[in-house]
Short mmCIF file of all heavy atoms in Angstrom, two decimals:
data_model
loop_
_atom_site.label_atom_id
_atom_site.label_comp_id
_atom_site.label_asym_id
_atom_site.label_seq_id
_atom_site.Cartn_x
_atom_site.Cartn_y
_atom_site.Cartn_z
N VAL A 49 79.54 116.48 106.68
CA VAL A 49 80.43 115.56 105.97
C VAL A 49 80.50 114.24 106.81
O VAL A 49 80.86 114.28 107.98
CB VAL A 49 81.84 116.18 105.78
CG1 VAL A 49 82.73 115.24 105.04
CG2 VAL A 49 81.68 117.50 105.02
N LYS A 51 81.80 111.22 105.46
CA LYS A 51 82.68 110.22 104.75
C LYS A 51 83.42 109.36 105.75
O LYS A 51 83.49 109.69 106.93
CB LYS A 51 83.67 110.98 103.82
CG LYS A 51 84.62 111.95 104.61
CD LYS A 51 85.24 112.96 103.65
CE LYS A 51 86.19 113.90 104.42
NZ LYS A 51 86.72 114.94 103.55
N TYR A 55 83.56 109.61 109.90
CA TYR A 55 84.88 109.82 110.57
C TYR A 55 85.14 108.76 111.64
O TYR A 55 85.78 109.00 112.66
CB TYR A 55 84.97 111.24 111.18
CG TYR A 55 85.08 112.37 110.22
CD1 TYR A 55 84.29 112.45 109.09
CD2 TYR A 55 86.01 113.40 110.40
CE1 TYR A 55 84.40 113.51 108.16
CE2 TYR A 55 86.17 114.43 109.51
CZ TYR A 55 85.35 114.46 108.39
OH TYR A 55 85.42 115.54 107.47
N LEU A 97 82.20 113.37 97.05
CA LEU A 97 83.34 114.29 96.89
C LEU A 97 84.38 113.77 95.93
O LEU A 97 85.09 114.57 95.28
CB LEU A 97 84.00 114.59 98.26
CG LEU A 97 83.17 115.49 99.17
CD1 LEU A 97 83.78 115.45 100.57
CD2 LEU A 97 83.13 116.92 98.69
N HIS A 142 83.22 121.23 91.28
CA HIS A 142 84.31 121.63 92.19
C HIS A 142 85.34 122.47 91.42
O HIS A 142 85.80 121.99 90.40
CB HIS A 142 84.96 120.31 92.74
CG HIS A 142 85.84 120.52 93.90
ND1 HIS A 142 86.16 119.51 94.76
CD2 HIS A 142 86.49 121.63 94.39
CE1 HIS A 142 86.98 119.95 95.72
NE2 HIS A 142 87.17 121.25 95.50
N ARG A 149 94.35 120.25 94.55
CA ARG A 149 94.04 118.80 94.79
C ARG A 149 92.92 118.52 93.78
O ARG A 149 93.23 118.24 92.62
CB ARG A 149 93.66 118.60 96.29
CG ARG A 149 93.64 117.13 96.65
CD ARG A 149 93.27 116.95 98.14
NE ARG A 149 91.95 117.40 98.45
CZ ARG A 149 91.36 117.19 99.66
NH1 ARG A 149 92.05 116.64 100.62
NH2 ARG A 149 90.14 117.57 99.89
N MET A 176 81.43 124.41 94.31
CA MET A 176 82.14 124.41 95.60
C MET A 176 83.67 124.45 95.36
O MET A 176 84.22 124.21 94.27
CB MET A 176 81.85 123.14 96.40
CG MET A 176 82.11 121.80 95.74
SD MET A 176 82.06 120.45 96.95
CE MET A 176 83.73 120.45 97.49
N HIS A 178 87.57 124.35 98.05
CA HIS A 178 88.05 123.87 99.35
C HIS A 178 89.33 124.64 99.68
O HIS A 178 90.18 124.84 98.85
CB HIS A 178 88.32 122.38 99.23
CG HIS A 178 88.43 121.64 100.54
ND1 HIS A 178 87.66 121.90 101.64
CD2 HIS A 178 89.20 120.61 100.90
CE1 HIS A 178 87.96 121.10 102.62
NE2 HIS A 178 88.89 120.27 102.23
N ALA A 213 84.76 124.37 105.22
CA ALA A 213 84.57 123.16 106.04
C ALA A 213 84.68 123.62 107.54
O ALA A 213 84.42 124.77 107.77
CB ALA A 213 85.68 122.14 105.69
N SER A 214 84.99 122.74 108.41
CA SER A 214 84.95 123.08 109.89
C SER A 214 85.74 124.33 110.20
O SER A 214 85.25 125.22 110.93
CB SER A 214 85.50 121.91 110.64
OG SER A 214 84.74 120.80 110.55
N ASP A 215 86.99 124.43 109.70
CA ASP A 215 87.81 125.59 110.05
C ASP A 215 87.40 126.81 109.22
O ASP A 215 87.47 127.95 109.73
CB ASP A 215 89.29 125.26 109.80
CG ASP A 215 89.77 124.21 110.76
OD1 ASP A 215 89.25 124.16 111.91
OD2 ASP A 215 90.65 123.47 110.37
N ARG A 229 80.33 123.07 104.97
CA ARG A 229 80.45 121.63 104.93
C ARG A 229 81.30 121.12 106.08
O ARG A 229 82.39 120.53 105.84
CB ARG A 229 81.11 121.15 103.60
CG ARG A 229 80.64 121.75 102.33
CD ARG A 229 81.35 121.15 101.14
NE ARG A 229 82.79 121.31 101.19
CZ ARG A 229 83.49 122.32 100.73
NH1 ARG A 229 82.86 123.31 100.10
NH2 ARG A 229 84.77 122.30 100.83
N PRO A 230 80.83 121.25 107.32
CA PRO A 230 81.71 120.79 108.45
C PRO A 230 81.65 119.27 108.51
O PRO A 230 80.65 118.61 108.29
CB PRO A 230 81.05 121.40 109.65
CG PRO A 230 79.63 121.54 109.27
CD PRO A 230 79.60 121.87 107.81
N GLY A 231 82.81 118.69 108.89
CA GLY A 231 82.96 117.29 109.23
C GLY A 231 83.53 117.18 110.65
O GLY A 231 82.78 117.05 111.63
N TYR A 232 84.80 117.36 110.74
CA TYR A 232 85.56 117.16 112.00
C TYR A 232 84.89 117.81 113.24
O TYR A 232 84.81 117.23 114.32
CB TYR A 232 86.98 117.63 111.82
CG TYR A 232 87.97 117.32 112.89
CD1 TYR A 232 88.10 116.03 113.32
CD2 TYR A 232 88.73 118.30 113.47
CE1 TYR A 232 89.07 115.73 114.31
CE2 TYR A 232 89.70 118.01 114.44
CZ TYR A 232 89.83 116.74 114.88
OH TYR A 232 90.75 116.43 115.85
N ALA A 233 84.49 119.13 113.06
CA ALA A 233 83.95 119.84 114.19
C ALA A 233 82.64 119.18 114.71
O ALA A 233 82.35 119.23 115.93
CB ALA A 233 83.70 121.30 113.82
N TYR A 366 92.19 114.16 113.30
CA TYR A 366 91.42 113.54 112.24
C TYR A 366 91.81 112.08 112.04
O TYR A 366 90.94 111.19 111.83
CB TYR A 366 91.61 114.20 110.88
CG TYR A 366 91.04 115.56 110.63
CD1 TYR A 366 91.56 116.67 111.26
CD2 TYR A 366 90.02 115.69 109.77
CE1 TYR A 366 91.04 117.95 111.03
CE2 TYR A 366 89.47 116.98 109.49
CZ TYR A 366 90.02 118.08 110.15
OH TYR A 366 89.46 119.33 109.84
C1 PLP B 1 86.66 116.16 104.20
C2 PLP B 1 86.18 117.38 103.50
C3 PLP B 1 85.43 118.36 104.19
C4 PLP B 1 85.19 118.31 105.71
O1 PLP B 1 86.36 118.85 106.30
P1 PLP B 1 86.47 119.00 107.91
O2 PLP B 1 87.80 119.65 108.10
O3 PLP B 1 86.39 117.62 108.48
O4 PLP B 1 85.30 119.87 108.33
C5 PLP B 1 84.85 119.40 103.45
N1 PLP B 1 85.07 119.50 102.13
C6 PLP B 1 85.87 118.63 101.46
C7 PLP B 1 86.12 118.80 100.04
C8 PLP B 1 86.43 117.55 102.11
O5 PLP B 1 87.24 116.72 101.45
#
Side-chain angles (χ1 to χ4, degrees):
V49 182
K51 60 196 181 188
Y55 288 47
L97 288 168
H142 194 159
R149 194 178 65 174
M176 58 167 273
H178 197 37
S214 295
D215 293 329
R229 313 181 303 269
Y232 190 54
Y366 286 73

